Amino acid sequence: MDPTTDNAGQTGEPGTARASLEALRAEIAKAVVGQDPAVTGLVVALLCRGHVLLEGVPGVAKTLLVRALASALELDTKRVQFTPDLMPSDVTGSLVYDTRSAEFSFQPGPVFTNLLLADEINRTPPKTQSSLLEAMEERQVTVDGTPRPLPEPFLVAATQNPVEYEGTYPLPEAQLDRFLLKLTIPLPSRQDEIDVLTRHAEGFDPRNLHAAGVRPVAGPADLEAARTAVAETTVSPEITAYVVDICRATRESPSLTLGVSPRGATALLATARAWAWLTGRDYVIPDDVKALALPTLRHRVQLRPEAEMDGVTADSVINAILAHVPVPR
């Protein structure tokens, strides 16, 4: 079967699903240059039924990355630009009065999609930010007392700008903890930036992914088969203890006022399992935990002000903990 056909995601076999998800990188690379770690993080989040916070300066292809992923997975995607005047109903939907039937009918908001891009989520007030909490946690939206389930799969990819905080509303710790991963989108290397400009000079249009050659290489059936296989990935008691030791070490770090919660520990275990399966194993090793520790934990810790003034970062604290916690053999 040609994996680029519309039936690419209909096999539902774990082996085929892994091959299809691995093909995502090559397919997305037709539109986005040099962001393999972010692509992998988004796939891991989909496998774990989690959500992703993307942090990067404007212009590093965060929106294009999510759109390309949706096209390569044959999923529906919508984008919401979060602004100070955005209302919760603008995200979730609302009841609208129909004059012809003299009844109220529900008009779904953009949250009713597979991949929701919440652009600059920290530019909207907490009331609107919180409108996503039920959707992210319960995968439903309640309007006028009626719960309405969201499509499956469902992933929120929220972006925020790390350098411009004027007029923003930083996400509270409770909401940050709802994101499975926090992925940093770096500026491209010199060669990657040359490749980007070369593509644009040759006529690449980021608004037309079909013309760029991005085709579906996986689908919902592949994702469901992959999720089943991930759930069957073996985790030894030693690996479980290793994850717990890492998370407990963050709570004892002198550089942190807030360490990783038990929810963060379960998140690290889940992402390590997904990564182990993606790399072709049916069991988790310590390197899987280390590989996902930074994106899974960096937004779940809080630095002491004095440590922050000394140039300490969440990543450096987590890396130091990984270097000192004994690794199981």
Side-chain angles (χ1 to χ4, degrees):
M1 180 184 295
D2 182 356
T4 62
T5 64
D6 289 342
N7 296 322
Q10 303 306 313
T11 58
E13 294 295 329
T16 305
R18 183 188 285 118
S20 298
L21 293 177
E22 287 174 350
L24 279 176
R25 294 183 185 181
E27 203 63 24
I28 293 174
K30 295 177 182 178
V32 182
V33 177
Q35 296 293 358
D36 278 358
V39 173
T40 301
L42 286 165
V43 173
V44 166
L46 280 168
L47 293 179
C48 298
R49 290 182 169 87
H51 308 283
V52 176
L53 183 63
L54 300 169
E55 186 172 270
V57 298
V60 290
K62 298 187 293 293
T63 301
L64 181 60
L65 176 63
V66 175
R67 288 181 53 239
L69 176 68
S71 295
L73 279 173
E74 207 170 12
L75 298 175
D76 182 44
T77 182
K78 289 185 174 69
R79 174 180 177 271
V80 178
Q81 180 66 50
F82 279 67
T83 56
D85 60 348
L86 192 74
M87 299 296 292
S89 59
D90 296 329
V91 178
T92 62
S94 59
L95 294 175
V96 177
Y97 184 72
D98 188 338
T99 55
R100 290 173 296 181
S101 63
E103 295 179 348
F104 285 94
S105 62
F106 178 68
Q107 296 297 317
V111 75
F112 287 85
T113 186
N114 296 125
L115 270 71
L116 175 68
L117 179 62
D119 219 349
E120 295 190 286
I121 190 173
N122 58 337
R123 291 209 171 276
T124 200
K127 184 177 181 179
T128 304
Q129 290 176 2
S130 66
S131 67
L132 280 177
L133 281 178
E134 182 187 13
M136 293 169 66
E137 192 70 18
E138 307 297 334
R139 298 181 181 274
Q140 67 177 26
V141 168
T142 301
V143 176
D144 197 33
T146 303
R148 304 173 192 276
L150 296 173
E152 182 63 35
F154 174 69
L155 178 143
V156 173
T159 72
Q160 63 179 15
N161 185 340
V163 295
E164 188 182 12
Y165 288 110
E166 293 81 2
T168 63
Y169 304 84
L171 293 173
E173 293 300 326
Q175 190 162 351
L176 281 173
D177 203 39
R178 293 301 198 281
F179 286 97
L180 181 73
L181 300 172
K182 179 181 178 181
L183 304 175
T184 56
I185 311 296
L187 288 166
S189 66
R190 180 177 183 273
Q191 186 55 54
D192 284 344
E193 197 163 0
I194 290 174
D195 291 343
V196 170
L197 268 63
T198 300
R199 290 187 182 191
H200 280 264
E202 293 172 350
F204 171 71
D205 182 359
R207 291 171 291 276
N208 190 348
L209 295 179
H210 186 79
V214 179
R215 300 289 185 271
V217 294
D222 287 312
L223 275 176
E224 193 54 43
R227 287 170 171 177
T228 301
V230 168
E232 296 171 354
T233 302
T234 302
V235 181
S236 69
E238 292 78 14
I239 293 295
T240 302
Y242 182 51
V243 170
V244 169
D245 289 343
I246 290 171
C247 295
R248 290 181 68 86
T250 64
R251 302 169 204 164
E252 300 166 1
S253 171
S255 298
L256 302 176
T257 59
L258 179 69
V260 177
S261 68
R263 180 192 288 152
T266 61
L268 180 55
L269 186 62
T271 56
R273 291 178 89 179
W275 176 244
W277 181 82
L278 277 173
T279 52
R281 279 178 283 99
D282 60 357
Y283 57 92
V284 181
I285 62 175
D287 283 349
D288 299 325
V289 177
K290 290 181 177 180
L292 273 297
L294 284 179
T296 308
L297 304 182
R298 60 164 57 110
H299 57 298
R300 303 176 193 272
V301 299
Q302 195 172 72
L303 288 167
R304 291 188 182 277
E306 56 269 27
E308 201 166 4
M309 290 177 63
D310 290 338
V312 176
T313 64
D315 284 13
S316 65
V317 173
I318 294 169
N319 279 327
I321 288 171
L322 291 174
H324 286 91
V325 172
V327 179
R329 300 188 181 278

